[in-house]
Amino acid sequence: MAKLMVLTVLGLGLALFRDQRSSYQKRMNAFLEIKPVELSSCNFIKGIETGSEDLEILRNGLAFISSGLKYPGIKSFEPDKPGKLLLMNLNKEDPTALELRIIGSTFDLPSFNPHGVSTFTDEDNTVYLLVVNHPNYKTTIEVFKFQEDDKSLLHLKTIRHKLLPNVNDIVAVGPEHFYATNDHYFVNNYLRSWELYLGIAWSHVVYYSPDKVQVVAEGFDFANGINISPDGRYVYIAELLAHKIHVYEKHANWTLTPLKSLEFDTLVDNISVDPVTGDLWVGCHPNGMKIFFYDEENPPASEVLQIQDILTENPKIKVVYADNGTTLQGSTVASVYKGKLLIGTVFHKALYCKL
Ligand SMILES: *[C@@H]1O[C@H](CO)[C@@H](O)[C@H](O)[C@H]1NC(C)=O
Ligand SMILES: *[C@@H]1O[C@H](CO)[C@@H](O)[C@H](O)[C@H]1NC(C)=O
Ligand SMILES: *[C@@H]1O[C@H](CO)[C@@H](O)[C@H](O)[C@H]1NC(C)=O
């Protein structure tokens, strides 16, 4: 009898483990084959070899890029060097990336580990760059003022808050106001891999302003990219491991209510929004296993989706670029400027293509 019980319990355990494993493999999209989709003319950006994990393009064609992320469990080609912020002028014929000088005595450069970036331009055309930073694997939000004349960033402020424990990405709605995704899995230099495996939807979205900080959406299986519609009425959130993009309505009091969700067959990472058309451009990981377990013989693929008319009943979704990792490894973000597409990656290069 006892033996039978042990066997039953063992059997149940194994069945649960099998279910858990198959759900994990599904969340990671572990076995997807890539059908390549090429673009006509693509060049690598000179000066980007160790990641271009997030980027934002201003309406005037200046692009800000974060490079050199160190994130537990994810490959880095320069693990001992601090990260940096790069600037590109996309109006130039063959644009190159230039490192922005950071000034201000309040900022610790050696521990700089930039992650998501977002800009806010005020009425006087002052550009603020808000950067998710992980100094010593903690989370802070750094606020910089962009000084175009000498291509520098003046450090204004470091924001820390208990509701911002492990921020992945932000979208700025003011010089010190933003929505942030907490991904939950990255704490103190380790990836909570068991929790990642179990897939409890821990992750959430926080609204931050100097006078009020509040959770505005929760229950995500790894909330990742976040962005806002050009009219400021909708917030888009990428749920990486559920392969979904959620559309939320934003209210005057900054709370969000869910409107709709779109489902994909790929891990959706960063979302950028075309300021003119409102289209979403999404950097994706077709196979999540390859991004979390790097193997140079079998590198992670890259994929870019364009989503048009997201608010209508029939959004149009197009795979604009797909590569099995031979050319570009681990794309996370893509953004357009004047008929060209700039694609960033977690730890690899950046590709600039004609559409
Ligand atoms: C871009 O992708 C990285 C890699 O997963 C992610 O951690 C980061 O938050 C993303 N940034 C944006 C703007 O979504
Ligand atoms: C915020 O505004 C929305 C829409 O007007 C409303 O439904 C909600 O109750 C408000 N929330 C708070 C906390 O004031
Ligand atoms: C990736 O695709 C290229 C052709 O586009 C092919 O030569 C290569 O073998 C593929 N690599 C893998 C790992 O599938």
Side-chain angles (χ1 to χ4, degrees):
M1 187 66 186
K3 214 181 210 170
L4 193 65
M5 282 250 309
V6 168
L7 281 177
T8 310
V9 169
L10 199 67
L12 268 175
L14 278 176
L16 277 177
F17 179 68
R18 252 201 319 268
D19 279 0
Q20 190 60 49
R21 191 177 54 186
S22 98
S23 137
Y24 178 67
Q25 286 169 343
K26 180 154 175 286
R27 289 162 64 234
M28 286 286 180
N29 228 2
F31 304 109
L32 195 82
E33 289 288 324
I34 293 288
K35 276 198 230 77
V37 176
E38 288 175 14
L39 286 167
S40 60
S41 148
C42 292
N43 294 304
F44 288 116
I45 300 290
K46 288 186 208 80
I48 302 183
E49 305 291 334
T50 60
S52 44
E53 103 89 21
D54 197 10
L55 60 92
E56 185 157 311
I57 305 176
L58 298 182
R59 275 168 185 256
N60 64 8
L62 291 182
F64 295 94
I65 301 169
S66 74
S67 181
L69 174 69
K70 264 70 73 184
Y71 189 103
I74 303 247
K75 179 74 185 169
S76 166
F77 289 125
E78 267 183 354
D80 302 322
K81 281 212 179 147
K84 51 197 175 186
L85 294 169
L86 309 172
L87 179 73
M88 277 174 64
N89 183 348
L90 300 182
N91 298 300
K92 297 243 170 90
E93 191 52 45
D94 188 12
T96 53
L98 180 123
E99 183 171 351
L100 283 160
R101 203 159 55 86
I102 293 178
I103 50 186
S105 57
T106 47
F107 193 69
D108 183 53
L109 279 172
S111 66
F112 191 33
N113 187 7
H115 197 176
V117 299
S118 183
T119 61
F120 178 78
T121 307
D122 72 9
E123 300 98 47
D124 306 332
N125 268 329
T126 302
V127 175
Y128 296 90
L129 185 67
L130 281 72
V131 181
V132 178
N133 185 14
H134 300 296
N136 308 311
Y137 298 100
K138 305 264 190 302
T139 288
T140 57
I141 311 294
E142 310 294 346
V143 183
F144 300 99
K145 187 172 131 189
F146 174 52
Q147 309 187 123
E148 193 168 356
D149 45 349
D150 66 350
K151 309 275 182 293
S152 68
L153 291 168
L154 176 64
H155 186 241
L156 300 179
K157 185 158 193 168
T158 296
I159 295 170
R160 294 184 185 84
H161 195 276
K162 64 176 186 316
L163 283 181
L164 301 170
N166 33 41
V167 175
N168 187 304
D169 194 18
I170 51 173
V171 57
V173 289
E176 287 179 42
H177 309 65
F178 53 85
Y179 289 98
T181 54
N182 276 301
D183 65 26
H184 177 86
Y185 300 106
F186 170 13
V187 271
N188 297 331
N189 193 16
Y190 85 100
L191 189 71
R192 289 170 162 160
S193 38
W194 267 103
E195 296 185 21
L196 193 63
Y197 183 77
L198 292 173
I200 302 163
W202 297 104
S203 158
H204 61 268
V205 177
V206 168
Y207 171 70
Y208 179 94
S209 71
D211 1 284
K212 189 158 192 188
V213 189
Q214 57 185 341
V215 174
V216 289
E218 54 196 334
F220 298 103
D221 189 0
F222 207 130
N224 199 317
I226 184 164
N227 220 314
I228 197 161
S229 62
D231 62 8
R233 290 176 59 198
Y234 303 97
V235 169
Y236 308 121
I237 297 166
E239 189 178 12
L240 185 76
L241 297 179
H243 317 157
K244 286 182 184 160
I245 289 181
H246 302 276
V247 181
Y248 282 80
E249 198 174 344
K250 171 174 148 289
H251 301 293
N253 60 15
W254 304 101
T255 62
L256 303 176
T257 45
L259 195 66
K260 68 191 288 188
S261 300
L262 272 64
E263 208 158 326
F264 302 88
D265 189 20
T266 184
L267 278 70
V268 283
D269 194 326
N270 289 288
I271 304 171
S272 72
V273 176
D274 184 322
V276 182
T277 61
D279 294 353
L280 279 71
W281 292 83
V282 190
C284 304
H285 309 290
N287 181 329
M289 283 304 208
K290 293 191 190 173
I291 196 87
F292 284 106
F293 303 95
Y294 186 74
D295 170 6
E296 64 184 315
E297 301 291 312
N298 190 6
S302 289
E303 184 176 42
V304 176
L305 303 181
Q306 177 188 20
I307 306 170
Q308 293 177 293
D309 308 325
I310 191 163
L311 297 171
T312 67
E313 291 205 347
N314 296 306
K316 292 189 205 62
I317 297 162
K318 185 174 168 195
V319 179
V320 175
Y321 178 80
D323 173 76
N324 66 9
T326 310
T327 305
L328 193 68
Q329 304 183 6
S331 60
T332 57
V333 60
S335 195
V336 281
Y337 184 71
K338 292 192 175 162
K340 287 189 145 187
L341 181 69
L342 181 59
I343 310 172
T345 63
V346 198
F347 50 78
H348 196 229
K349 305 176 184 213
L351 200 62
Y352 194 41
C353 303
K354 278 211 184 84
L355 282 172

